[in-house]
Amino acid sequence: MQEEVELVLEDTKEQMKKAIDHLDYELGKIRAGRANPKVLEDVRVDYFGTATPLSQVANISVPDPRTITVRPWEKSMIPAIERAIMAANLGMNPDNNGETIRILVPPLTEERRKDLAKQAKKSCEDSRIAVRNLRRDANEEFKKMKKDGLAEDAQKDAEDQVQKIHDSYIKKIDEMYAAKEKDIMTV
């Protein structure tokens, strides 16, 4: 029975780590007034009739804090890339010189900063909910194990361990939100 408890604990920890990794990815896409190539990760370009990630048809770089450059591997892709960036509705306008597309990242207004902070808070809350659900699922698993012969003390110990794991991940989420909010609100 103890091996099964350990298995559930490991699985729960792994799933909670995935929730944190997903939150990190989501927070990375929220721009904080500086140029960040992650904001273009979800942009899809029409490449010979196939929606292809921008990073697979061009080189994306950040030469300075206010500029993102996109250098297509084929010059004929420039109009399609510009259309895709405009369609992504990122609040940024691409400008091309025939070889490279430059995207100037505008400074954020106070209102836009508050919207981005709300967006970050929502992502963090979604992750908190996921972590709580994983804790609940693990506890239900321990209750089933108790019916199958797990000692009550062992069940309580397992639930305590899950609670400690849960608390540590909730603390990580709170720290990530605090850091992102500070990043967004810093002018």
Side-chain angles (χ1 to χ4, degrees), residues 143-170:
K143 286 177 183 161
K144 285 182 195 169
M145 286 181 191
K146 184 179 174 229
K147 288 180 183 174
D148 295 339
L150 182 68
E152 192 170 330
D153 289 349
Q155 178 201 356
K156 292 291 179 207
D157 288 345
E159 287 177 358
D160 289 345
Q161 284 181 290
V162 165
Q163 185 63 42
K164 285 178 186 165
I165 294 167
H166 164 271
D167 293 346
S168 73
Y169 279 98
I170 292 292

Side-chain angles (χ1 to χ4, degrees), residues 21-55:
D21 291 345
H22 179 72
L23 175 63
D24 190 40
Y25 171 77
E26 289 297 318
L27 291 179
K29 290 192 309 187
I30 299 173
R31 69 184 183 94
R34 285 186 303 282
N36 184 346
K38 277 188 177 181
V39 299
L40 298 175
E41 272 185 6
D42 290 337
V43 175
R44 299 273 185 253
V45 179
D46 182 34
Y47 186 66
F48 297 110
T50 306
T52 309
L54 179 59
S55 61

Side-chain angles (χ1 to χ4, degrees), residues 30 113-123 177 184:
I30 299 173
R113 287 179 192 281
K114 287 178 181 173
D115 288 345
L116 292 173
K118 283 180 188 173
Q119 188 180 340
K121 189 172 190 167
K122 184 190 180 319
S123 293
Y177 173 67
I184 291 169

